[in-house]
Amino acid sequence: MSLLVTGSFGIDTVETPFGKRLDVIGGSAVYFGFAASFFGPVRIVGAVGEDCPKDLLNVFQGRNVNTAGLEIRQGSKTFRWHGSYLKDMNEAQTVKVDLNVLAERAPKIPPEFLDSQYVFLANTHPLLQLETLATLKSVKLAVADTMNLYIQTERRQLEKLLGKIDGLVLNDGEARLLTGQKNLILAARETLKMGPKFVVIKKGEHGCLLVSDHDIFALPAFPTEKVVDPTGAGDSFAGGMMGYLATQENLTSDILKRALAFGTVVASFTISDFSLAGLAAATRQQIDDRWEKFKSAMSF
Amino acid sequence: MSLLVTGSFGIDTVETPFGKRLDVIGGSAVYFGFAASFFGPVRIVGAVGEDCPKDLLNVFQGRNVNTAGLEIRQGSKTFRWHGSYLKDMNEAQTVKVDLNVLAERAPKIPPEFLDSQYVFLANTHPLLQLETLATLKSVKLAVADTMNLYIQTERRQLEKLLGKIDGLVLNDGEARLLTGQKNLILAARETLKMGPKFVVIKKGEHGCLLVSDHDIFALPAFPTEKVVDPTGAGDSFAGGMMGYLATQENLTSDILKRALAFGTVVASFTISDFSLAGLAAATRQQIDDRWEKFKSAMSF
């Protein structure tokens, strides 16, 4: 397997009912990469500014993650996000966002990454996602995420992207915005018409929904009373899902379901503590144990 | 088995994005009784006014439902509810409610119903629920529903009721209101401390959650794109659940899970059309087929 992710490295400030954390590790590529690395090697492509703290630069030390694609850009600043879950633990309110380096050119993909077969295009400008995808020549499975901003402002480019990917991962509000359909199954079906073979709608505490031409599959979130910080749950979910898929030869219905369950379980570790602490404290054995528990709980 | 339900018979006016229906059949005991009757005989206790339309009086004709406990009260009026789902398909907005006969004394339980072993106390004043429960002498499993109004205004009586029942079925907003806990698992745990052995939290389109001292079990809703009228979904869910439980000797963890899945499936028929039409068009065979499909979809 060769799983590549391109997305953000970020410095987050997060407020939840359990406290406030200033300038902690964040970013979609960071959560995704961390989550996926439990399953096999991960290749990271991203950019930070020259102000990037050491903790963030070294976040993957000792992990099965190749950071050859992480560019430290002189004269630029690292992406910063300040979010609050004080009002609603299921939806972050952005207090402040500084795109900084993310608003510049796409980071370069190192030559040794060009043969990547599994690709996750974490949320960024669809033009950059298209550019990254076009650079890779051996893609077997391409999955992307997106967000409200690009659905509203970059619709044409986004639709072009949807025509070139295998799977789209997005949250419920985004699926409704993209399609104008309130019912999520209808929203997913509309999305399928735009190109992807499968759509995964993330519903936070309410779990996820997979729709393809052959399947409709819903999973609840892993039931947990320890929800401290939901930041990164969606990217960890995608990381667990893609990390597992990259270990599999084929993309069958059953394998996709299992991948969704791995994503669900990995995300449950992420939300148990602030920033990366919950995921960093987890082991592959704990993930597998929780997955088995989830699987057995879901059978009746 | 001998399953008794006490709750409302109602005349509903309902508005959804799919249309408006005036003066149609409704009421918690009606949906519950209809749903449970797919599994075995049901005994109904309730009251209507002298204005009760024939369609509502004869709603159980040809069904396995004993309506000896349905009182047609002279000088009284039937319960009426006018609700709208135009704003949110997952939460009814009450446009108008006339309690009428429901605000009077509790309906009398016929002597031949007094040996009922399975009891569902659909949502009504907790004093009436307590009174009904106290009248029954052979209860093996008592489950109740409640609502915001009684949580806010009749807390002491409700807590007394919670000390006497085996299970409580309520929706997510009610669970949060009852306990002050936003996390639903914590809310369920707090509720368990008040007495019941298990709590089922209904989350509408997001499925349900069961919490007991031994189990945490979440199920998504049955994935369907045909949601026409959510009225009665919760009562149908409870009817499917209790209908199945009343056919079982013991209340094991697995049987409770299966019961929740039956409730989920039965509710999916209810919401597929206005009023009782979706449920009335269903057969036990269709329910079993959909249950098997759901069970197999949920295993991975």
Side-chain angles (χ1 to χ4, degrees):
Chain A
M1 70 168 251
S2 48
L3 171 58
L4 178 142
V5 58
T6 173
S8 63
F9 280 63
I11 304 170
D12 287 354
T13 291
V14 179
E15 292 168 86
T16 88
F18 297 89
K20 184 173 180 174
R21 293 294 182 278
L22 288 164
D23 298 342
V24 291
I25 289 170
S28 60
V30 173
Y31 280 108
F32 180 98
F34 224 90
S37 72
F38 286 107
F39 298 86
V42 182
R43 297 164 169 183
I44 294 264
V45 173
V48 293
E50 58 182 8
D51 62 340
C52 184
K54 268 198 176 158
D55 280 356
L56 180 54
L57 275 182
N58 299 328
V59 64
F60 290 119
Q61 223 159 44
R63 303 268 159 182
N64 204 351
V65 177
N66 186 337
T67 55
L70 177 59
E71 194 181 326
I72 305 169
R73 204 171 283 172
Q74 295 307 312
S76 296
K77 278 184 165 179
T78 305
F79 168 61
R80 282 180 176 266
W81 179 74
H82 178 178
S84 169
Y85 297 91
L86 291 176
K87 212 174 159 190
D88 185 352
M89 276 297 258
N90 214 33
E91 201 181 341
Q93 299 206 290
T94 295
V95 178
K96 195 168 181 246
V97 63
D98 300 304
L99 287 176
N100 295 330
V101 72
L102 292 193
E104 304 170 9
R105 68 184 185 280
K108 227 190 137 203
I109 300 174
E112 66 263 40
F113 284 6
L114 291 176
D115 63 350
S116 299
Q117 292 183 293
Y118 296 83
V119 181
F120 187 73
L121 306 161
N123 169 39
T124 187
H125 196 296
L127 263 183
L128 299 189
Q129 291 175 308
L130 278 164
E131 198 185 312
T132 302
L133 196 56
T135 313
L136 301 166
K137 300 301 177 202
S138 314
V139 176
K140 200 174 147 184
L141 183 75
V143 178
D145 193 352
T146 190
M147 72 182 290
N148 288 354
L149 175 67
Y150 302 119
I151 294 171
Q152 285 167 319
T153 64
E154 302 295 337
R155 178 123 198 152
R156 270 183 68 189
Q157 299 300 338
L158 182 60
E159 284 181 3
K160 208 170 156 192
L161 176 73
L162 291 179
K164 292 183 188 293
I165 56 175
D166 301 286
L168 181 69
V169 174
L170 75 179
N171 72 34
D172 44 1
E174 291 158 359
R176 290 183 170 119
L177 183 68
L178 179 64
T179 61
Q181 290 287 354
K182 277 200 169 182
N183 180 293
L184 291 179
I185 295 173
L186 293 177
R189 288 212 194 287
E190 288 288 317
T191 309
L192 288 180
K193 286 183 198 156
M194 301 177 194
K197 295 191 203 87
F198 66 90
V199 174
V200 178
I201 299 179
K202 299 172 289 180
K203 305 193 291 171
E205 64 169 314
H206 302 301
C208 63
L209 175 71
L210 164 78
V211 181
S212 71
D213 284 342
H214 323 287
D215 281 306
I216 300 182
F217 176 57
L219 265 188
F222 184 84
T224 177
E225 49 211 274
K226 206 183 167 196
V227 185
V228 171
D229 176 11
T231 309
D235 297 308
S236 305
F237 170 89
M241 181 186 94
M242 289 295 286
Y244 174 74
L245 287 179
T247 66
Q248 302 296 308
E249 266 308 299
N250 301 302
L251 189 73
T252 66
S253 205
D254 276 348
I255 286 171
L256 250 180
K257 283 188 192 181
R258 283 180 209 136
L260 256 66
F262 271 113
T264 299
V265 161
V266 171
S268 76
F269 285 99
T270 302
I271 63 180
S272 69
D273 205 342
F274 279 100
S275 181
L276 261 183
L279 204 51
T283 64
R284 174 66 196 259
Q285 188 58 51
Q286 284 176 318
I287 291 169
D288 286 349
D289 289 349
R290 197 172 279 188
W291 189 86
E292 287 293 343
K293 199 176 150 191
F294 190 48
K295 175 183 161 71
S296 120
M298 291 315 298
S299 77
F300 51 84
Chain B
M1 71 166 248
S2 48
L3 171 59
L4 179 143
V5 59
T6 175
S8 63
F9 280 62
I11 305 170
D12 286 354
T13 291
V14 179
E15 293 168 86
T16 89
F18 296 89
K20 184 173 179 172
R21 293 294 180 279
L22 288 164
D23 297 344
V24 292
I25 288 170
S28 60
V30 173
Y31 281 108
F32 181 99
F34 224 89
S37 72
F38 286 107
F39 298 86
V42 182
R43 299 163 168 184
I44 293 264
V45 174
V48 293
E50 58 182 11
D51 62 341
C52 185
K54 269 199 177 157
D55 280 356
L56 181 54
L57 275 182
N58 299 328
V59 65
F60 291 118
Q61 225 161 41
R63 302 270 161 181
N64 203 353
V65 177
N66 186 335
T67 55
L70 177 59
E71 196 181 324
I72 304 170
R73 203 171 284 172
Q74 296 306 312
S76 295
K77 280 186 163 175
T78 305
F79 167 62
R80 281 180 177 268
W81 178 75
H82 178 177
S84 169
Y85 296 91
L86 292 177
K87 211 174 157 191
D88 184 354
M89 277 297 259
N90 213 32
E91 200 180 344
Q93 298 204 292
T94 294
V95 178
K96 196 168 179 243
V97 63
D98 300 304
L99 287 175
N100 294 331
V101 70
L102 291 193
E104 303 170 7
R105 68 186 183 279
K108 227 191 136 201
I109 299 174
E112 67 265 39
F113 284 7
L114 292 176
D115 63 349
S116 300
Q117 292 182 294
Y118 295 83
V119 182
F120 187 73
L121 306 161
N123 170 37
T124 187
H125 196 295
L127 262 181
L128 300 185
Q129 290 174 308
L130 277 164
E131 198 184 313
T132 304
L133 196 56
T135 313
L136 300 166
K137 300 300 178 203
S138 312
V139 176
K140 202 172 146 185
L141 183 75
V143 178
D145 194 352
T146 191
M147 73 181 291
N148 288 352
L149 177 67
Y150 303 119
I151 294 171
Q152 285 167 319
T153 64
E154 302 295 337
R155 177 119 198 156
R156 268 183 69 187
Q157 299 299 338
L158 181 61
E159 284 182 2
K160 209 171 154 189
L161 176 74
L162 291 179
K164 291 183 190 296
I165 56 176
D166 302 288
L168 181 69
V169 175
L170 74 179
N171 71 34
D172 44 0
E174 292 159 357
R176 290 182 171 122
L177 184 67
L178 179 63
T179 61
Q181 291 286 357
K182 279 201 168 180
N183 179 293
L184 291 178
I185 295 173
L186 292 177
R189 287 212 194 286
E190 287 287 318
T191 310
L192 289 179
K193 286 185 198 157
M194 301 177 194
K197 294 190 204 87
F198 66 90
V199 175
V200 178
I201 299 179
K202 299 172 289 181
K203 305 193 292 171
E205 64 168 314
H206 301 301
C208 64
L209 175 71
L210 163 77
V211 181
S212 71
D213 284 341
H214 322 289
D215 282 305
I216 300 181
F217 176 56
L219 266 186
F222 184 84
T224 177
E225 48 212 275
K226 204 181 168 199
V227 184
V228 171
D229 176 10
T231 309
D235 296 310
S236 305
F237 171 88
M241 180 186 93
M242 288 295 287
Y244 174 74
L245 286 180
T247 66
Q248 301 297 308
E249 269 304 300
N250 302 303
L251 189 74
T252 66
S253 202
D254 277 347
I255 286 171
L256 251 179
K257 283 187 191 180
R258 282 179 210 137
L260 256 67
F262 271 113
T264 298
V265 160
V266 171
S268 75
F269 285 99
T270 301
I271 63 179
S272 70
D273 204 342
F274 279 100
S275 183
L276 261 182
L279 205 50
T283 64
R284 174 65 196 258
Q285 188 59 51
Q286 285 176 316
I287 291 170
D288 286 349
D289 289 350
R290 197 172 279 189
W291 188 86
E292 287 293 344
K293 199 177 151 193
F294 189 48
K295 175 185 160 72
S296 119
M298 293 313 298
S299 77
F300 51 82

